[in-house]
Amino acid sequence: QVQLVESGGGSVQAGGSLRLSCAASGYAARSYCMGWFRQAPGKAREGIASIDSDGRAIYANSVKDRFIISQDNDKNTLYLQMNNLKPEDTATYYCAFEQLPPQILSHCTAGYRWSHYGPGTQVTVSS
């Protein structure tokens, strides 16, 4: 059973930075797709970044050039470095995981509909 726990959320002023972490456990897959999505009240879920087991990262246009996704395989931890935050980035951020066969790793994109995700961490950006 995959378990994902996010941390690092908080309140920040526009232009500031935050680094989210996601501790992952309970999986042994060598081929997978991990990522982050967010959801603001009254809005649809938005996938913002993905990274696969080969280290290929993809970003949504809304966060490209501002956010960086990375992973530490030794620590089983996924990160999201968020820079130049904007009020529209305010949302609950979720870490997500999906085991994928190597032959379809190309399906791992920022908009992937993961089935495993954590409880989320709140990010609030004030103007």
Side-chain angles (χ1 to χ4, degrees):
Q1 179 94 14
V2 176
Q3 290 189 323
L4 304 163
V5 180
E6 305 92 343
S7 61
S11 297
V12 65
Q13 287 192 325
S17 298
L18 283 173
R19 188 195 197 201
L20 305 184
S21 299
C22 171
S25 62
Y27 70 95
R30 292 182 177 272
S31 179
Y32 57 81
C33 173
M34 294 192 76
W36 295 90
F37 66 90
R38 65 188 181 187
Q39 189 163 22
K43 293 190 176 181
R45 185 168 102 169
E46 178 190 17
I48 56 174
S50 65
I51 187 165
D52 65 25
S53 43
D54 288 342
R56 183 179 65 117
I58 297 177
Y59 300 92
N61 288 335
S62 59
V63 305
K64 199 172 183 180
D65 299 327
R66 297 190 298 124
F67 291 9
I68 301 171
I69 188 171
S70 62
Q71 56 187 347
D72 185 330
N73 292 328
D74 291 337
K75 296 181 180 179
N76 287 343
T77 302
L78 183 71
Y79 301 99
L80 185 68
Q81 177 66 43
M82 306 187 295
N83 301 319
N84 190 21
L85 283 160
K86 304 176 181 180
E88 51 265 41
D89 293 320
T90 295
T92 301
Y93 284 69
Y94 299 87
C95 165
F97 172 90
E98 198 79 38
Q99 180 177 345
L100 287 181
Q103 57 267 34
I104 61 168
L105 264 186
S106 59
H107 291 199
C108 184
T109 65
Y112 189 84
R113 298 291 289 188
W114 292 276
S115 56
H116 303 284
Y117 47 91
T121 186
Q122 178 66 35
V123 171
T124 303
V125 185
S126 58
S127 57

PDB file of all heavy atoms in Angstrom, residues 25-64:
ATOM      1  N   SER A  25       6.277   5.846   0.774  1.00  0.00           N
ATOM      2  CA  SER A  25       6.631   4.525   1.297  1.00  0.00           C
ATOM      3  C   SER A  25       5.639   3.493   0.791  1.00  0.00           C
ATOM      4  O   SER A  25       4.586   3.835   0.240  1.00  0.00           O
ATOM      5  CB  SER A  25       6.639   4.531   2.832  1.00  0.00           C
ATOM      6  OG  SER A  25       5.361   4.840   3.344  1.00  0.00           O
ATOM      7  N   GLY A  26       5.985   2.225   0.963  1.00  0.00           N
ATOM      8  CA  GLY A  26       5.065   1.147   0.643  1.00  0.00           C
ATOM      9  C   GLY A  26       5.044   0.715  -0.805  1.00  0.00           C
ATOM     10  O   GLY A  26       4.113   0.043  -1.238  1.00  0.00           O
ATOM     11  N   TYR A  27       6.091   1.083  -1.563  1.00  0.00           N
ATOM     12  CA  TYR A  27       6.133   0.636  -2.951  1.00  0.00           C
ATOM     13  C   TYR A  27       7.523   0.127  -3.280  1.00  0.00           C
ATOM     14  O   TYR A  27       8.504   0.547  -2.685  1.00  0.00           O
ATOM     15  CB  TYR A  27       5.746   1.759  -3.912  1.00  0.00           C
ATOM     16  CG  TYR A  27       6.764   2.864  -4.022  1.00  0.00           C
ATOM     17  CD1 TYR A  27       7.733   2.872  -5.023  1.00  0.00           C
ATOM     18  CD2 TYR A  27       6.759   3.914  -3.109  1.00  0.00           C
ATOM     19  CE1 TYR A  27       8.661   3.885  -5.110  1.00  0.00           C
ATOM     20  CE2 TYR A  27       7.688   4.933  -3.188  1.00  0.00           C
ATOM     21  CZ  TYR A  27       8.628   4.919  -4.196  1.00  0.00           C
ATOM     22  OH  TYR A  27       9.553   5.931  -4.279  1.00  0.00           O
ATOM     23  N   ALA A  28       7.579  -0.769  -4.251  1.00  0.00           N
ATOM     24  CA  ALA A  28       8.861  -1.311  -4.677  1.00  0.00           C
ATOM     25  C   ALA A  28       9.029  -1.192  -6.183  1.00  0.00           C
ATOM     26  O   ALA A  28       9.944  -1.771  -6.746  1.00  0.00           O
ATOM     27  CB  ALA A  28       8.971  -2.780  -4.265  1.00  0.00           C
ATOM     28  N   ALA A  29       8.139  -0.418  -6.798  1.00  0.00           N
ATOM     29  CA  ALA A  29       8.153  -0.286  -8.252  1.00  0.00           C
ATOM     30  C   ALA A  29       9.413   0.423  -8.725  1.00  0.00           C
ATOM     31  O   ALA A  29       9.815   1.432  -8.157  1.00  0.00           O
ATOM     32  CB  ALA A  29       6.933   0.500  -8.712  1.00  0.00           C
ATOM     33  N   ARG A  30      10.023  -0.115  -9.764  1.00  0.00           N
ATOM     34  CA  ARG A  30      11.187   0.545 -10.362  1.00  0.00           C
ATOM     35  C   ARG A  30      10.783   1.464 -11.510  1.00  0.00           C
ATOM     36  O   ARG A  30      11.585   2.285 -11.952  1.00  0.00           O
ATOM     37  CB  ARG A  30      12.166  -0.506 -10.862  1.00  0.00           C
ATOM     38  CG  ARG A  30      12.820  -1.306  -9.740  1.00  0.00           C
ATOM     39  CD  ARG A  30      13.822  -2.299 -10.293  1.00  0.00           C
ATOM     40  NE  ARG A  30      14.515  -3.015  -9.224  1.00  0.00           N
ATOM     41  CZ  ARG A  30      15.618  -2.583  -8.633  1.00  0.00           C
ATOM     42  NH1 ARG A  30      16.161  -1.440  -9.013  1.00  0.00           N
ATOM     43  NH2 ARG A  30      16.188  -3.282  -7.668  1.00  0.00           N
ATOM     44  N   SER A  31       9.585   1.281 -11.985  1.00  0.00           N
ATOM     45  CA  SER A  31       9.076   2.102 -13.078  1.00  0.00           C
ATOM     46  C   SER A  31       7.799   2.787 -12.590  1.00  0.00           C
ATOM     47  O   SER A  31       6.813   2.116 -12.287  1.00  0.00           O
ATOM     48  CB  SER A  31       8.796   1.231 -14.305  1.00  0.00           C
ATOM     49  OG  SER A  31       8.294   2.002 -15.361  1.00  0.00           O
ATOM     50  N   TYR A  32       7.831   4.096 -12.519  1.00  0.00           N
ATOM     51  CA  TYR A  32       6.696   4.802 -11.929  1.00  0.00           C
ATOM     52  C   TYR A  32       6.617   6.231 -12.439  1.00  0.00           C
ATOM     53  O   TYR A  32       7.527   6.757 -13.079  1.00  0.00           O
ATOM     54  CB  TYR A  32       6.821   4.824 -10.396  1.00  0.00           C
ATOM     55  CG  TYR A  32       8.097   5.448  -9.907  1.00  0.00           C
ATOM     56  CD1 TYR A  32       8.243   6.827  -9.829  1.00  0.00           C
ATOM     57  CD2 TYR A  32       9.185   4.654  -9.534  1.00  0.00           C
ATOM     58  CE1 TYR A  32       9.420   7.407  -9.402  1.00  0.00           C
ATOM     59  CE2 TYR A  32      10.365   5.221  -9.096  1.00  0.00           C
ATOM     60  CZ  TYR A  32      10.482   6.595  -9.038  1.00  0.00           C
ATOM     61  OH  TYR A  32      11.651   7.156  -8.611  1.00  0.00           O
ATOM     62  N   CYS A  33       5.511   6.842 -12.089  1.00  0.00           N
ATOM     63  CA  CYS A  33       5.255   8.238 -12.401  1.00  0.00           C
ATOM     64  C   CYS A  33       4.838   8.925 -11.103  1.00  0.00           C
ATOM     65  O   CYS A  33       3.898   8.484 -10.452  1.00  0.00           O
ATOM     66  CB  CYS A  33       4.136   8.351 -13.435  1.00  0.00           C
ATOM     67  SG  CYS A  33       3.576  10.028 -13.777  1.00  0.00           S
ATOM     68  N   MET A  34       5.549   9.951 -10.730  1.00  0.00           N
ATOM     69  CA  MET A  34       5.174  10.727  -9.548  1.00  0.00           C
ATOM     70  C   MET A  34       4.927  12.177  -9.965  1.00  0.00           C
ATOM     71  O   MET A  34       5.387  12.618 -11.027  1.00  0.00           O
ATOM     72  CB  MET A  34       6.268  10.676  -8.483  1.00  0.00           C
ATOM     73  CG  MET A  34       6.475   9.298  -7.886  1.00  0.00           C
ATOM     74  SD  MET A  34       7.501   9.309  -6.407  1.00  0.00           S
ATOM     75  CE  MET A  34       6.329   9.964  -5.192  1.00  0.00           C
ATOM     76  N   GLY A  35       4.227  12.891  -9.115  1.00  0.00           N
ATOM     77  CA  GLY A  35       3.970  14.272  -9.489  1.00  0.00           C
ATOM     78  C   GLY A  35       3.234  15.046  -8.411  1.00  0.00           C
ATOM     79  O   GLY A  35       3.015  14.541  -7.301  1.00  0.00           O
ATOM     80  N   TRP A  36       2.888  16.252  -8.768  1.00  0.00           N
ATOM     81  CA  TRP A  36       2.125  17.144  -7.895  1.00  0.00           C
ATOM     82  C   TRP A  36       0.927  17.688  -8.658  1.00  0.00           C
ATOM     83  O   TRP A  36       1.036  18.050  -9.832  1.00  0.00           O
ATOM     84  CB  TRP A  36       2.995  18.322  -7.449  1.00  0.00           C
ATOM     85  CG  TRP A  36       4.148  17.946  -6.590  1.00  0.00           C
ATOM     86  CD1 TRP A  36       5.409  17.614  -7.009  1.00  0.00           C
ATOM     87  CD2 TRP A  36       4.176  17.878  -5.166  1.00  0.00           C
ATOM     88  NE1 TRP A  36       6.208  17.334  -5.926  1.00  0.00           N
ATOM     89  CE2 TRP A  36       5.479  17.505  -4.779  1.00  0.00           C
ATOM     90  CE3 TRP A  36       3.234  18.119  -4.163  1.00  0.00           C
ATOM     91  CZ2 TRP A  36       5.858  17.344  -3.444  1.00  0.00           C
ATOM     92  CZ3 TRP A  36       3.599  17.972  -2.835  1.00  0.00           C
ATOM     93  CH2 TRP A  36       4.904  17.583  -2.481  1.00  0.00           C
ATOM     94  N   PHE A  37      -0.178  17.734  -7.970  1.00  0.00           N
ATOM     95  CA  PHE A  37      -1.320  18.462  -8.498  1.00  0.00           C
ATOM     96  C   PHE A  37      -1.867  19.343  -7.385  1.00  0.00           C
ATOM     97  O   PHE A  37      -1.527  19.183  -6.209  1.00  0.00           O
ATOM     98  CB  PHE A  37      -2.383  17.516  -9.075  1.00  0.00           C
ATOM     99  CG  PHE A  37      -3.066  16.619  -8.071  1.00  0.00           C
ATOM    100  CD1 PHE A  37      -4.225  17.028  -7.421  1.00  0.00           C
ATOM    101  CD2 PHE A  37      -2.592  15.340  -7.825  1.00  0.00           C
ATOM    102  CE1 PHE A  37      -4.868  16.198  -6.521  1.00  0.00           C
ATOM    103  CE2 PHE A  37      -3.236  14.499  -6.931  1.00  0.00           C
ATOM    104  CZ  PHE A  37      -4.371  14.937  -6.270  1.00  0.00           C
ATOM    105  N   ARG A  38      -2.701  20.284  -7.740  1.00  0.00           N
ATOM    106  CA  ARG A  38      -3.254  21.201  -6.748  1.00  0.00           C
ATOM    107  C   ARG A  38      -4.732  21.416  -7.008  1.00  0.00           C
ATOM    108  O   ARG A  38      -5.231  21.197  -8.128  1.00  0.00           O
ATOM    109  CB  ARG A  38      -2.505  22.534  -6.771  1.00  0.00           C
ATOM    110  CG  ARG A  38      -2.655  23.312  -8.067  1.00  0.00           C
ATOM    111  CD  ARG A  38      -1.722  24.525  -8.079  1.00  0.00           C
ATOM    112  NE  ARG A  38      -1.856  25.315  -9.301  1.00  0.00           N
ATOM    113  CZ  ARG A  38      -1.069  26.331  -9.623  1.00  0.00           C
ATOM    114  NH1 ARG A  38      -0.075  26.698  -8.791  1.00  0.00           N
ATOM    115  NH2 ARG A  38      -1.249  26.993 -10.752  1.00  0.00           N
ATOM    116  N   GLN A  39      -5.404  21.838  -5.973  1.00  0.00           N
ATOM    117  CA  GLN A  39      -6.821  22.142  -6.116  1.00  0.00           C
ATOM    118  C   GLN A  39      -7.179  23.306  -5.215  1.00  0.00           C
ATOM    119  O   GLN A  39      -6.948  23.270  -4.009  1.00  0.00           O
ATOM    120  CB  GLN A  39      -7.685  20.927  -5.786  1.00  0.00           C
ATOM    121  CG  GLN A  39      -9.158  21.130  -6.120  1.00  0.00           C
ATOM    122  CD  GLN A  39      -9.919  19.822  -6.187  1.00  0.00           C
ATOM    123  OE1 GLN A  39      -9.514  18.814  -5.617  1.00  0.00           O
ATOM    124  NE2 GLN A  39     -11.019  19.824  -6.924  1.00  0.00           N
ATOM    125  N   ALA A  40      -7.734  24.325  -5.816  1.00  0.00           N
ATOM    126  CA  ALA A  40      -8.219  25.489  -5.079  1.00  0.00           C
ATOM    127  C   ALA A  40      -9.714  25.333  -4.855  1.00  0.00           C
ATOM    128  O   ALA A  40     -10.385  24.644  -5.641  1.00  0.00           O
ATOM    129  CB  ALA A  40      -7.913  26.761  -5.861  1.00  0.00           C
ATOM    130  N   PRO A  41     -10.261  25.955  -3.820  1.00  0.00           N
ATOM    131  CA  PRO A  41     -11.703  25.841  -3.552  1.00  0.00           C
ATOM    132  C   PRO A  41     -12.535  26.243  -4.756  1.00  0.00           C
ATOM    133  O   PRO A  41     -12.307  27.296  -5.357  1.00  0.00           O
ATOM    134  CB  PRO A  41     -11.913  26.803  -2.377  1.00  0.00           C
ATOM    135  CG  PRO A  41     -10.597  26.871  -1.699  1.00  0.00           C
ATOM    136  CD  PRO A  41      -9.578  26.763  -2.800  1.00  0.00           C
ATOM    137  N   GLY A  42     -13.461  25.383  -5.120  1.00  0.00           N
ATOM    138  CA  GLY A  42     -14.358  25.680  -6.227  1.00  0.00           C
ATOM    139  C   GLY A  42     -13.755  25.500  -7.600  1.00  0.00           C
ATOM    140  O   GLY A  42     -14.404  25.802  -8.610  1.00  0.00           O
ATOM    141  N   LYS A  43     -12.516  25.021  -7.652  1.00  0.00           N
ATOM    142  CA  LYS A  43     -11.863  24.846  -8.948  1.00  0.00           C
ATOM    143  C   LYS A  43     -11.523  23.379  -9.179  1.00  0.00           C
ATOM    144  O   LYS A  43     -11.438  22.579  -8.245  1.00  0.00           O
ATOM    145  CB  LYS A  43     -10.599  25.697  -9.018  1.00  0.00           C
ATOM    146  CG  LYS A  43     -10.865  27.194  -9.011  1.00  0.00           C
ATOM    147  CD  LYS A  43      -9.607  27.984  -9.317  1.00  0.00           C
ATOM    148  CE  LYS A  43      -9.889  29.461  -9.403  1.00  0.00           C
ATOM    149  NZ  LYS A  43      -8.668  30.245  -9.724  1.00  0.00           N
ATOM    150  N   ALA A  44     -11.293  23.058 -10.425  1.00  0.00           N
ATOM    151  CA  ALA A  44     -10.940  21.684 -10.779  1.00  0.00           C
ATOM    152  C   ALA A  44      -9.503  21.379 -10.378  1.00  0.00           C
ATOM    153  O   ALA A  44      -8.671  22.292 -10.228  1.00  0.00           O
ATOM    154  CB  ALA A  44     -11.119  21.484 -12.280  1.00  0.00           C
ATOM    155  N   ARG A  45      -9.234  20.111 -10.219  1.00  0.00           N
ATOM    156  CA  ARG A  45      -7.874  19.677  -9.937  1.00  0.00           C
ATOM    157  C   ARG A  45      -6.975  20.051 -11.113  1.00  0.00           C
ATOM    158  O   ARG A  45      -7.364  19.890 -12.272  1.00  0.00           O
ATOM    159  CB  ARG A  45      -7.892  18.165  -9.714  1.00  0.00           C
ATOM    160  CG  ARG A  45      -6.611  17.566  -9.291  1.00  0.00           C
ATOM    161  CD  ARG A  45      -6.845  16.129  -8.835  1.00  0.00           C
ATOM    162  NE  ARG A  45      -6.450  15.173  -9.824  1.00  0.00           N
ATOM    163  CZ  ARG A  45      -6.353  13.862  -9.600  1.00  0.00           C
ATOM    164  NH1 ARG A  45      -6.667  13.383  -8.424  1.00  0.00           N
ATOM    165  NH2 ARG A  45      -5.971  13.060 -10.557  1.00  0.00           N
ATOM    166  N   GLU A  46      -5.780  20.535 -10.801  1.00  0.00           N
ATOM    167  CA  GLU A  46      -4.826  20.924 -11.835  1.00  0.00           C
ATOM    168  C   GLU A  46      -3.496  20.194 -11.625  1.00  0.00           C
ATOM    169  O   GLU A  46      -2.821  20.428 -10.625  1.00  0.00           O
ATOM    170  CB  GLU A  46      -4.594  22.441 -11.815  1.00  0.00           C
ATOM    171  CG  GLU A  46      -3.578  22.915 -12.831  1.00  0.00           C
ATOM    172  CD  GLU A  46      -3.154  24.358 -12.660  1.00  0.00           C
ATOM    173  OE1 GLU A  46      -3.386  24.938 -11.590  1.00  0.00           O
ATOM    174  OE2 GLU A  46      -2.555  24.910 -13.604  1.00  0.00           O
ATOM    175  N   GLY A  47      -3.127  19.365 -12.556  1.00  0.00           N
ATOM    176  CA  GLY A  47      -1.813  18.742 -12.506  1.00  0.00           C
ATOM    177  C   GLY A  47      -0.763  19.771 -12.863  1.00  0.00           C
ATOM    178  O   GLY A  47      -0.919  20.497 -13.846  1.00  0.00           O
ATOM    179  N   ILE A  48       0.315  19.871 -12.080  1.00  0.00           N
ATOM    180  CA  ILE A  48       1.283  20.918 -12.333  1.00  0.00           C
ATOM    181  C   ILE A  48       2.679  20.405 -12.657  1.00  0.00           C
ATOM    182  O   ILE A  48       3.446  21.106 -13.329  1.00  0.00           O
ATOM    183  CB  ILE A  48       1.362  21.914 -11.159  1.00  0.00           C
ATOM    184  CG1 ILE A  48       1.682  21.194  -9.843  1.00  0.00           C
ATOM    185  CG2 ILE A  48       0.067  22.712 -11.053  1.00  0.00           C
ATOM    186  CD1 ILE A  48       1.914  22.138  -8.681  1.00  0.00           C
ATOM    187  N   ALA A  49       3.048  19.229 -12.213  1.00  0.00           N
ATOM    188  CA  ALA A  49       4.391  18.732 -12.503  1.00  0.00           C
ATOM    189  C   ALA A  49       4.437  17.221 -12.336  1.00  0.00           C
ATOM    190  O   ALA A  49       3.754  16.667 -11.473  1.00  0.00           O
ATOM    191  CB  ALA A  49       5.422  19.377 -11.585  1.00  0.00           C
ATOM    192  N   SER A  50       5.246  16.581 -13.161  1.00  0.00           N
ATOM    193  CA  SER A  50       5.431  15.140 -13.064  1.00  0.00           C
ATOM    194  C   SER A  50       6.903  14.818 -13.243  1.00  0.00           C
ATOM    195  O   SER A  50       7.661  15.584 -13.864  1.00  0.00           O
ATOM    196  CB  SER A  50       4.606  14.417 -14.121  1.00  0.00           C
ATOM    197  OG  SER A  50       5.063  14.739 -15.414  1.00  0.00           O
ATOM    198  N   ILE A  51       7.292  13.668 -12.703  1.00  0.00           N
ATOM    199  CA  ILE A  51       8.639  13.159 -12.924  1.00  0.00           C
ATOM    200  C   ILE A  51       8.555  11.644 -12.926  1.00  0.00           C
ATOM    201  O   ILE A  51       7.872  11.053 -12.087  1.00  0.00           O
ATOM    202  CB  ILE A  51       9.625  13.680 -11.849  1.00  0.00           C
ATOM    203  CG1 ILE A  51      11.058  13.282 -12.195  1.00  0.00           C
ATOM    204  CG2 ILE A  51       9.242  13.198 -10.456  1.00  0.00           C
ATOM    205  CD1 ILE A  51      12.105  14.050 -11.387  1.00  0.00           C
ATOM    206  N   ASP A  52       9.219  11.012 -13.884  1.00  0.00           N
ATOM    207  CA  ASP A  52       9.132   9.557 -13.943  1.00  0.00           C
ATOM    208  C   ASP A  52      10.399   8.920 -13.373  1.00  0.00           C
ATOM    209  O   ASP A  52      11.339   9.616 -12.969  1.00  0.00           O
ATOM    210  CB  ASP A  52       8.817   9.077 -15.362  1.00  0.00           C
ATOM    211  CG  ASP A  52       9.914   9.390 -16.360  1.00  0.00           C
ATOM    212  OD1 ASP A  52      11.081   9.538 -15.951  1.00  0.00           O
ATOM    213  OD2 ASP A  52       9.605   9.481 -17.561  1.00  0.00           O
ATOM    214  N   SER A  53      10.416   7.613 -13.356  1.00  0.00           N
ATOM    215  CA  SER A  53      11.532   6.889 -12.755  1.00  0.00           C
ATOM    216  C   SER A  53      12.823   7.057 -13.554  1.00  0.00           C
ATOM    217  O   SER A  53      13.897   6.736 -13.054  1.00  0.00           O
ATOM    218  CB  SER A  53      11.182   5.404 -12.596  1.00  0.00           C
ATOM    219  OG  SER A  53      10.536   4.896 -13.739  1.00  0.00           O
ATOM    220  N   ASP A  54      12.719   7.576 -14.769  1.00  0.00           N
ATOM    221  CA  ASP A  54      13.908   7.898 -15.560  1.00  0.00           C
ATOM    222  C   ASP A  54      14.378   9.330 -15.323  1.00  0.00           C
ATOM    223  O   ASP A  54      15.371   9.751 -15.904  1.00  0.00           O
ATOM    224  CB  ASP A  54      13.624   7.703 -17.058  1.00  0.00           C
ATOM    225  CG  ASP A  54      13.527   6.231 -17.428  1.00  0.00           C
ATOM    226  OD1 ASP A  54      14.010   5.385 -16.645  1.00  0.00           O
ATOM    227  OD2 ASP A  54      12.956   5.930 -18.490  1.00  0.00           O
ATOM    228  N   GLY A  55      13.640  10.058 -14.490  1.00  0.00           N
ATOM    229  CA  GLY A  55      14.026  11.427 -14.173  1.00  0.00           C
ATOM    230  C   GLY A  55      13.508  12.480 -15.128  1.00  0.00           C
ATOM    231  O   GLY A  55      13.883  13.654 -15.034  1.00  0.00           O
ATOM    232  N   ARG A  56      12.635  12.089 -16.021  1.00  0.00           N
ATOM    233  CA  ARG A  56      12.091  13.055 -16.979  1.00  0.00           C
ATOM    234  C   ARG A  56      10.990  13.874 -16.298  1.00  0.00           C
ATOM    235  O   ARG A  56      10.038  13.320 -15.780  1.00  0.00           O
ATOM    236  CB  ARG A  56      11.518  12.315 -18.184  1.00  0.00           C
ATOM    237  CG  ARG A  56      10.980  13.189 -19.280  1.00  0.00           C
ATOM    238  CD  ARG A  56      10.476  12.325 -20.425  1.00  0.00           C
ATOM    239  NE  ARG A  56       9.335  11.518 -20.015  1.00  0.00           N
ATOM    240  CZ  ARG A  56       8.126  11.626 -20.534  1.00  0.00           C
ATOM    241  NH1 ARG A  56       7.893  12.533 -21.461  1.00  0.00           N
ATOM    242  NH2 ARG A  56       7.153  10.843 -20.132  1.00  0.00           N
ATOM    243  N   ALA A  57      11.137  15.190 -16.338  1.00  0.00           N
ATOM    244  CA  ALA A  57      10.191  16.092 -15.678  1.00  0.00           C
ATOM    245  C   ALA A  57       9.386  16.871 -16.714  1.00  0.00           C
ATOM    246  O   ALA A  57       9.921  17.288 -17.739  1.00  0.00           O
ATOM    247  CB  ALA A  57      10.926  17.058 -14.766  1.00  0.00           C
ATOM    248  N   ILE A  58       8.113  17.052 -16.411  1.00  0.00           N
ATOM    249  CA  ILE A  58       7.219  17.829 -17.276  1.00  0.00           C
ATOM    250  C   ILE A  58       6.418  18.769 -16.397  1.00  0.00           C
ATOM    251  O   ILE A  58       5.996  18.394 -15.302  1.00  0.00           O
ATOM    252  CB  ILE A  58       6.288  16.892 -18.068  1.00  0.00           C
ATOM    253  CG1 ILE A  58       7.103  15.993 -19.002  1.00  0.00           C
ATOM    254  CG2 ILE A  58       5.286  17.714 -18.899  1.00  0.00           C
ATOM    255  CD1 ILE A  58       6.272  14.993 -19.771  1.00  0.00           C
ATOM    256  N   TYR A  59       6.186  19.986 -16.901  1.00  0.00           N
ATOM    257  CA  TYR A  59       5.480  21.007 -16.136  1.00  0.00           C
ATOM    258  C   TYR A  59       4.281  21.547 -16.896  1.00  0.00           C
ATOM    259  O   TYR A  59       4.291  21.627 -18.125  1.00  0.00           O
ATOM    260  CB  TYR A  59       6.419  22.175 -15.822  1.00  0.00           C
ATOM    261  CG  TYR A  59       7.634  21.777 -15.024  1.00  0.00           C
ATOM    262  CD1 TYR A  59       8.815  21.414 -15.648  1.00  0.00           C
ATOM    263  CD2 TYR A  59       7.587  21.771 -13.632  1.00  0.00           C
ATOM    264  CE1 TYR A  59       9.928  21.041 -14.915  1.00  0.00           C
ATOM    265  CE2 TYR A  59       8.701  21.408 -12.884  1.00  0.00           C
ATOM    266  CZ  TYR A  59       9.865  21.038 -13.533  1.00  0.00           C
ATOM    267  OH  TYR A  59      10.968  20.672 -12.794  1.00  0.00           O
ATOM    268  N   ALA A  60       3.277  21.941 -16.135  1.00  0.00           N
ATOM    269  CA  ALA A  60       2.171  22.677 -16.724  1.00  0.00           C
ATOM    270  C   ALA A  60       2.651  24.087 -17.053  1.00  0.00           C
ATOM    271  O   ALA A  60       3.564  24.619 -16.393  1.00  0.00           O
ATOM    272  CB  ALA A  60       1.003  22.745 -15.739  1.00  0.00           C
ATOM    273  N   ASN A  61       2.038  24.692 -18.044  1.00  0.00           N
ATOM    274  CA  ASN A  61       2.443  26.036 -18.456  1.00  0.00           C
ATOM    275  C   ASN A  61       2.309  27.047 -17.327  1.00  0.00           C
ATOM    276  O   ASN A  61       3.074  28.008 -17.247  1.00  0.00           O
ATOM    277  CB  ASN A  61       1.611  26.491 -19.656  1.00  0.00           C
ATOM    278  CG  ASN A  61       2.002  25.759 -20.925  1.00  0.00           C
ATOM    279  OD1 ASN A  61       3.123  25.272 -21.062  1.00  0.00           O
ATOM    280  ND2 ASN A  61       1.068  25.650 -21.858  1.00  0.00           N
ATOM    281  N   SER A  62       1.345  26.812 -16.446  1.00  0.00           N
ATOM    282  CA  SER A  62       1.080  27.766 -15.367  1.00  0.00           C
ATOM    283  C   SER A  62       2.226  27.865 -14.360  1.00  0.00           C
ATOM    284  O   SER A  62       2.331  28.863 -13.639  1.00  0.00           O
ATOM    285  CB  SER A  62      -0.218  27.395 -14.642  1.00  0.00           C
ATOM    286  OG  SER A  62      -0.120  26.077 -14.112  1.00  0.00           O
ATOM    287  N   VAL A  63       3.082  26.841 -14.308  1.00  0.00           N
ATOM    288  CA  VAL A  63       4.169  26.854 -13.316  1.00  0.00           C
ATOM    289  C   VAL A  63       5.539  26.726 -13.954  1.00  0.00           C
ATOM    290  O   VAL A  63       6.562  26.805 -13.258  1.00  0.00           O
ATOM    291  CB  VAL A  63       3.986  25.736 -12.267  1.00  0.00           C
ATOM    292  CG1 VAL A  63       2.623  25.841 -11.602  1.00  0.00           C
ATOM    293  CG2 VAL A  63       4.198  24.365 -12.884  1.00  0.00           C
ATOM    294  N   LYS A  64       5.574  26.527 -15.244  1.00  0.00           N
ATOM    295  CA  LYS A  64       6.854  26.342 -15.925  1.00  0.00           C
ATOM    296  C   LYS A  64       7.749  27.540 -15.695  1.00  0.00           C
ATOM    297  O   LYS A  64       7.296  28.682 -15.697  1.00  0.00           O
ATOM    298  CB  LYS A  64       6.593  26.146 -17.422  1.00  0.00           C
ATOM    299  CG  LYS A  64       7.735  25.500 -18.175  1.00  0.00           C
ATOM    300  CD  LYS A  64       7.307  25.167 -19.595  1.00  0.00           C
ATOM    301  CE  LYS A  64       8.411  24.461 -20.337  1.00  0.00           C
ATOM    302  NZ  LYS A  64       8.026  24.116 -21.720  1.00  0.00           N
TER     303      LYS A  64
END
